[in-house]
Amino acid sequence: MHEYSVALPVHAIPLWFLVLSLFLPRICILLAWLQHSMTAYIPPAVGLIPVIVALLVPRLLILFWIYQDQGIGLWFLLHVIALLFAWGGGGNTVYRRRRVEYVS
């Protein structure tokens, strides 16, 4: 019988970044930049365009970094699913409470 296992390869991007960026992408980008742990992906002299992309669409920037490091793999697909959930508006429902005034 063949044994199959799911491999989660980690190359230059640290594991903490891959896991936490699923939930908190902007904070992870900031922490990685402050730690200089991803110097291959986040240069020390940051220009204006990467900062704007990191602020507006951080998940796309993270997907780009993962694709550069690992290609299309399990981590990439997990982040695509997180992107679809975030942009799909799964938690975007707003319930408004109406005030009821009783007149006697």
Side-chain angles (χ1 to χ4, degrees):
M1 225 180 213
H2 298 287
E3 291 185 29
Y4 295 103
S5 65
V6 176
L8 297 173
V10 178
H11 298 281
I13 299 177
L15 182 62
W16 68 265
F17 183 84
L18 291 170
V19 173
L20 289 179
S21 63
L22 286 168
F23 308 105
L24 305 167
R26 287 183 179 99
I27 294 172
C28 289
I29 290 173
L30 178 67
L31 288 176
W33 182 70
L34 290 174
Q35 281 188 344
H36 300 290
S37 63
M38 294 175 47
T39 55
Y41 301 103
I42 306 172
V46 177
L48 184 60
I49 292 182
V51 171
I52 291 172
V53 170
L55 290 175
L56 295 178
V57 282
R59 293 192 186 273
L60 287 180
L61 186 62
I62 291 170
L63 278 174
F64 177 71
W65 289 340
I66 293 172
Y67 181 75
Q68 275 187 330
D69 185 44
Q70 302 172 3
I72 297 176
L74 189 58
W75 282 114
F76 185 83
L77 295 176
L78 285 172
H79 281 270
V80 167
I81 291 169
L83 177 123
L84 293 175
F85 277 137
W87 284 3
N92 203 13
T93 305
V94 177
Y95 295 103
R96 296 181 188 210
R97 187 184 307 184
R98 295 184 185 194
R99 290 187 179 183
V100 179
E101 295 181 19
Y102 295 103
V103 179
S104 34

